[in-house]
Every structure is written in C-alpha cells, then in structure tokens.
C-alpha cells in the first residue's frame, strides 16, 4: 500500500459509510485453527480483573526517586509492587 492509496475519514464519515452500506465486510470470515479435544479438555474461563484507581500517599523521597527516572514512573511502581506480591504469594 502506498501513501497515495491511503484515505482519511473521520468517525462520522465511517458511520455514514456504514449506514449507506459503503463499507465492505467479508460475509464468510476465515476459519480459525482447530485446537483439538486435548486443548478444550483443560480449558477454563478466566475473568479479566479490572485495574483499580487508588489514592496513595508516598513519602516525598520515594516519589522523587521514581519520578526522577522519567516517563513511566507510575508503571515502574506498579511493576515493583507486582514483583513484591509474586515473591510473597503463598498460594
């Protein structure tokens, strides 16, 4: 695909195209891989857990340490907390 083939459309444009039947859809989607009975015998449903937003008070030196490392400091805090939980998980 070249840049000349790329067309830009807003969400409103796409919704209008859909209403007018101008968007194409494959009526016969490709079949997925057959996973076999062994896979399904051990399959289980795992409900996703939604992250929780919390208010957290940190000592200024702890916060400044992570923030001084640049963008992604909250993600790094999360990963360290996850590692701590995993190291102390007794299940």
């Amino acid at each position: 695909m070249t840049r000349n083939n790329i067309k830009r459309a807003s969400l409103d444009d796409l919704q209008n195209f859909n209403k007018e039947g101008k968007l194409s859809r494959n009526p016969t989607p490709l079949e997925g891989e057959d996973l076999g009975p062994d896979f399904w015998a051990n399959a289980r449903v795992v409900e996703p857990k939604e992250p929780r937003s919390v208010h957290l008070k940190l000592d200024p030196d702890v916060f400044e340490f992570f923030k001084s490392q640049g963008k992604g400091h909250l993600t790094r805090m999360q990963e360290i907390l996850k590692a701590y939980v995993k190291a102390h998980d007794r299940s």
Side-chain angles (χ1 to χ4, degrees):
M1 182 181 293
T2 65
R3 287 191 166 261
N4 295 337
N5 294 344
I6 297 174
K7 297 180 180 162
R8 298 188 184 271
S10 69
L11 178 57
D12 288 335
D13 292 337
L14 293 174
Q15 289 171 337
N16 288 332
F17 292 153
N18 190 36
K19 286 178 190 172
E20 296 167 6
K22 293 182 180 177
L23 291 180
S24 63
R25 291 190 177 92
N26 184 352
T28 54
L30 298 174
E31 289 291 323
E33 173 185 350
D34 182 17
L35 299 174
D38 292 339
F39 173 84
W40 295 109
N42 297 317
R44 61 187 175 94
V45 175
V46 178
E47 295 292 330
K49 294 180 182 177
E50 290 291 323
R52 292 191 182 135
S53 179
V54 298
H55 175 82
L56 178 65
K57 288 186 179 185
L58 299 171
D59 290 338
D61 55 333
V62 172
F63 182 74
E64 289 304 320
F65 171 80
F66 283 97
K67 186 157 177 148
S68 70
Q69 296 177 21
K71 187 175 181 177
H73 60 283
L74 296 176
T75 302
R76 281 190 294 282
M77 287 181 192
Q78 168 75 359
E79 293 303 318
I80 289 170
L81 289 169
K82 279 185 184 180
Y84 181 89
V85 169
K86 186 174 180 180
H88 293 81
D89 188 12
R90 294 192 175 112
S91 59

